Amino acid sequence: GAPDAIYCLTGRHARGVLEELKAGGIGVPGRTLLVAGSDSEQSRHSSPPITGIDLEPELVAAGGVERLSARAHGREVGEPERLRSRLVTRASTLPLPEDATS
């Protein structure tokens, strides 16, 4: 049978998995829950929208550029800043209403 849940590394992979599950008649989230390890346009605009992890790539990139610039100019780099990711819950992992599960 179908797995209870699937974790994909990227939104693109999750979107492909979603399409295959739907083609096989497997309900998401009804039968299988689906999560992407990174948030993306594919995740946000899928039907149903896919839960994803927002890794805040803009902040990661800005920190990397800042550290690279400091090194290039001989400045103290220091310890890297810890960034937090957040889970963006969407329909692919939400429980269905009780009347929809029967």
Side-chain angles (χ1 to χ4, degrees):
D4 293 334
I6 299 173
Y7 173 86
C8 297
L9 289 179
T10 69
R12 180 173 290 169
H13 290 115
R15 177 78 175 259
V17 167
L18 175 62
E19 296 306 318
E20 285 299 314
L21 289 169
K22 286 168 58 175
I26 298 168
V28 175
R31 172 60 188 95
T32 298
L33 305 179
L34 183 59
V35 176
S38 60
D39 200 25
S40 69
E41 289 296 316
Q42 292 94 349
S43 299
R44 289 187 283 276
H45 299 293
S46 293
S47 181
I50 300 169
T51 293
I53 301 172
D54 181 359
L55 301 172
E56 300 198 23
E58 296 85 5
L59 291 177
V60 171
V65 168
E66 186 177 312
R67 292 176 62 77
L68 181 60
S69 176
R71 272 189 195 259
H73 292 95
R75 295 190 311 265
E76 183 71 29
V77 175
E79 291 296 314
E81 179 183 349
R82 287 192 169 263
L83 299 174
R84 295 179 188 252
S85 57
R86 68 185 178 91
L87 182 67
V88 181
T89 305
R90 296 193 180 98
S92 71
T93 56
L94 294 178
L96 292 174
E98 287 206 28
D99 59 346
T101 58
S102 50

